[in-house]
C-alpha cells in the first residue's frame, strides 16, 4: 500500500492540535495545565472534572487483548460514523476523488461522502444481495480512493463472499473499508485475522449492536498502523468522552454477557423466521447473519403503517432499490417477537 498516493496531500503535512494532555503524559501531583475545575464537579463522579485520555490507552489495551491485535492497529471513534467521516476526509479530495459503494447498503457512507463533496460511484448488489466484484473492479478509476463493503450487509443481512472481498483487496490500490457492525451475529469470521495480509484493509466494528451500547457512541476501526496514525492525528483531541471510556472499560470485562445475548439473539432470529413463514403474504425472508431479518411481504408500506397504529415500529425499506416490498425487522425478545407476529397475523389474515 502506498499511503502517500491514497491520502490527500495536505494531510501528510498537517500539524495536529497539541492538547495539555499531549504535552505532559506522566503522573504528577498538581495539574494546573488544562483549565479544569479545581473545586469539584457537578457530576457525582469527581473524575469527570478532568479531560479524558485523548489516546484512550486503557480501552485500547483491553480491546487489543480481546481482538488479539496490537493497540497501534486500533482507532476509536464517536460511533462508527466518526471513522467513516474521517476516512473519507483523510483520503478524498472534494470534487475530484470518488468512493465506491454497493447499494442497498448502510446510508452513512453516502451521507459522509456527500457532506464532503466526494463523488459516489454505485455498483448495486446482485438480486440475491451478493457482491458484483467484477463490476466493482471495472468501476475503479485513477481517482477512486475507497471501496466500502458492508458485511454482514445492512439492510439485507447477508455476509459477502470472502473470496470476492479478497479479490477486491488484492486488485485495488486504495483502501477497502469492511464494515463489520454485525460480525458478532455472523457465522463468518471477522477479517481482522487477515489485517497482516492486506495493508489496504480497514475494518469497522461497533459497540452499538452485540455489545448493547448504542447510547455510548463508540466505534472501533482496525487498520495498518500507518493509517491508524493518520486517523489519530486528524481526530478531534478528546473524541471519546470520559464517561464512555469508563463504561467501555467495564463492558469489556463482560464478554460472557455479550456471548449470552448473541445466543439469545440467534435463537430469537430463527424463532422469528419460522413464525413469519406461517404468514401467507410473506414472500421471502432473506438469509441473515445479523440481528435483523429483511422480509418481503405483500403491501409492505401498508403493513408498516398498520403496525405503527399498534405502536410497533419496524423499518420500511420498500422504497429502496432491490428491497421493493421489504421491511427490515430487528430481532426482538420473545415477548416483542410474539407481539409483532400476533399483530401481523391480524393485519394480514
Ligand atoms: C448500526 C450500524 C453501524 C453502527 O454505527 P454506530 O455509529 O457505531 O452506532 C455501522 N455500520 C452499519 C452497517 C450499521 O448497521
Amino acid at each position: 500500500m502506498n499511503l502517500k498516493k491514497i491520502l490527500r496531500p495536505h494531510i501528510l503535512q498537517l500539524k495536529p492540535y497539541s492538547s495539555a494532555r499531549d504535552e505532559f503524559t506522566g503522573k504528577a501531583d498538581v495539574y494546573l495545565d488544562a483549565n479544569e475545575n479545581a473545586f469539584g464537579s457537578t457530576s457525582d463522579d469527581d473524575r469527570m472534572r478532568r479531560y479524558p485520555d485523548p489516546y484512550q490507552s486503557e480501552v485500547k489495551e483491553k480491546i487489543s487483548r480481546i481482538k488479539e491485535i496490537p493497540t497501534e492497529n486500533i482507532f476509536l471513534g464517536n460511533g462508527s460514523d466518526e471513522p467513516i467521516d474521517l476516512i473519507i476526509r483523510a483520503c478524498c479530495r472534494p470534487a475530484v476523488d470518488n468512493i465506491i459503494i454497493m447499494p442497498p447498503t448502510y446510508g452513512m457512507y453516502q451521507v459522509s461522502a456527500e457532506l464532503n463533496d466526494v463523488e459516489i460511484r454505485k455498483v448495486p448488489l446482485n438480486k440475491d444481495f451478493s457482491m458484483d466484484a467484477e463490476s466493482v473492479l471495472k468501476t475503479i478509476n485513477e481517482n477512486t480512493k475507497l471501496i466500502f463493503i458492508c458485511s454482514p450487509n445492512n439492510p439485507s443481512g447477508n455476509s459477502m463472499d470472502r473470496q470476492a472481498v479478497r479479490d477486491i483487496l488484492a486488485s485495488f490500490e486504495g483502501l477497502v473499508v469492511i464494515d463489520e457492525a454485525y460480525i458478532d451475529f455472523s457465522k463468518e469470521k471477522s477479517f481482522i485475522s487477515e489485517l497482516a495480509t492486506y495493508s489496504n484493509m480497514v475494518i469497522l466494528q461497533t459497540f452499538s449492536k452485540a455489545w448493547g451500547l448504542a447510547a455510548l457512541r463508540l466505534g472501533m476501526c482496525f487498520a495498518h498502523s500507518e493509517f491508524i496514525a493518520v486517523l489519530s492525528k486528524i481526530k478531534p483531541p478528546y473524541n471519546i468522552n470520559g464517561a464512555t471510556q469508563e463504561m467501555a472499560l467495564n463492558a469489556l470485562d463482560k464478554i460472557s454477557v455479550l456471548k449470552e445475548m448473541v445466543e439469545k439473539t440467534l435463537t430469537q432470529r430463527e424463532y422469528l423466521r419460522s413464525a413469519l413463514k406461517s404468514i401467507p403474504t410473506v414472500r421471502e425472508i432473506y438469509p441473515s447473519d445479523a440481528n435483523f431479518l429483511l422480509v418481503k411481504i405483500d403491501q409492505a408500506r401498508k403493513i408498516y403503517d398498520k403496525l405503527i397504529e399498534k405502536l410497533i415500529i419496524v423499518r420500511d425499506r420498500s422504497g429502496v432499490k432491490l428491497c421493493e416490498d421489504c421491511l427490515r425487522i430487528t430481532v426482538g425478545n420473545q415477548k416483542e417477537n410474539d407481539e409483532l407476529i400476533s399483530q401481523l397475523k391480524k393485519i394480514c389474515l
Side-chain angles (χ1 to χ4, degrees), residues 79-81 106 109 150 154 179 181-182 206 208-209 217-219:
S80 305
D81 302 339
Y106 187 48
Y109 320 135
C150 189
N154 179 2
D179 187 341
Y182 299 98
T206 180
S208 298
K209 308 286 158 61
R217 311 308 305 132
L218 188 57

Side-chain angles (χ1 to χ4, degrees), residues 77-84 105-109 149-155 179-182 204-209 213-215 217-220 291-292 328:
N78 185 348
S80 305
D81 302 339
E82 185 175 40
I84 290 169
T105 192
Y106 187 48
M108 276 312 288
Y109 320 135
I149 298 173
C150 189
S151 182
N153 186 46
N154 179 2
D179 187 341
E180 295 187 334
Y182 299 98
L204 300 176
Q205 292 186 6
T206 180
F207 282 86
S208 298
K209 308 286 158 61
L213 292 168
R217 311 308 305 132
L218 188 57
M220 295 169 270
N291 65 342
F292 58 83
R328 193 195 68 192

Side-chain angles (χ1 to χ4, degrees), residues 227-329:
F227 187 63
I228 292 297
V230 170
L231 294 180
S232 302
K233 182 169 92 165
I234 67 175
K235 77 180 178 71
Y238 303 111
N239 64 325
I240 309 298
N241 71 66
T244 292
Q245 292 192 45
E246 283 305 322
M247 291 192 98
L249 283 173
N250 262 314
L252 284 160
D253 290 334
K254 297 186 180 159
I255 297 206
S256 57
V257 177
L258 169 125
K259 285 188 175 154
E260 271 171 45
M261 294 192 294
V262 168
E263 280 310 311
K264 285 181 187 166
T265 305
L266 299 188
T267 303
Q268 285 301 314
R269 185 178 76 197
E270 296 323 304
Y271 172 77
L272 187 59
R273 178 188 298 284
S274 58
L276 285 165
K277 270 188 193 154
S278 70
I279 295 168
T281 56
V282 168
R283 297 292 163 203
E284 188 153 10
I285 308 163
Y286 292 91
S288 173
D289 262 344
N291 65 342
F292 58 83
L293 292 173
L294 188 71
V295 182
K296 196 183 270 297
I297 186 165
D298 293 349
Q299 300 190 288
R301 177 74 207 186
K302 208 180 102 199
I303 287 165
Y304 169 78
D305 289 333
K306 293 221 164 176
L307 283 173
I308 289 182
E309 284 172 27
K310 301 292 174 191
L311 300 178
I312 297 175
I313 318 299
V314 297
R315 191 98 151 110
D316 176 24
R317 299 283 79 185
S318 61
V320 175
K321 244 192 222 158
L322 293 177
C323 297
E324 290 81 10
D325 268 327
C326 285
L327 302 176
R328 193 195 68 192
I329 304 175

